Amino acid sequence: MAWLLVVIAGFLETGFAVCLKLSHGFTRLWPTIAFASFALGSFGLLTLALRRLDVGPAYAVWTGIGAAGTAIYGMIFLGDVVSTLKIVSITLVIVGVVGLQLSGSAH
């Protein structure tokens, strides 16, 4: 259950990163409100998960999901540059996240 919270928190991290960009420096109301909501949810779920998980692997999985998700979203929806190196790098992040999940770090 704790790992599920980390995964959801990682997806919420993607949401807050995208909304941070869309807020244009907190000058647009709705993306700013969405950013705050996603950030609060992400940090809240991560905090709950850390009650049962080691901080290193959980934090790495959380940031890995957020980073990979944000990069993928940017390439698909925001016109970010797509390159082979970017795709390989995102794949390596995902492989690392899966490896940490399989490492059995939960108590």
Side-chain angles (χ1 to χ4, degrees), residues 23-49:
S23 77
H24 291 271
F26 301 124
T27 61
R28 293 185 174 164
L29 179 62
W30 293 113
T32 299
I33 290 170
F35 160 78
S37 299
F38 282 125
L40 184 61
S42 182
F43 286 113
L45 292 177
L46 180 63
T47 299
L48 292 174

Side-chain angles (χ1 to χ4, degrees), residues 35-81:
F35 160 78
S37 299
F38 282 125
L40 184 61
S42 182
F43 286 113
L45 292 177
L46 180 63
T47 299
L48 292 174
L50 288 177
R51 291 179 179 174
R52 303 190 58 87
L53 300 173
D54 293 337
V55 68
Y59 183 76
V61 168
W62 177 69
T63 58
I65 292 170
T70 303
I72 292 166
Y73 186 94
M75 289 187 289
I76 294 172
F77 297 108
L78 301 177
D80 290 357
V81 175

Side-chain angles (χ1 to χ4, degrees), residues 4 7 46-47 51 56 60 64 66 77 88 101-102 106:
L4 178 61
V7 170
L46 180 63
T47 299
R51 291 179 179 174
F77 297 108
V88 168
Q101 168 66 7
L102 296 175

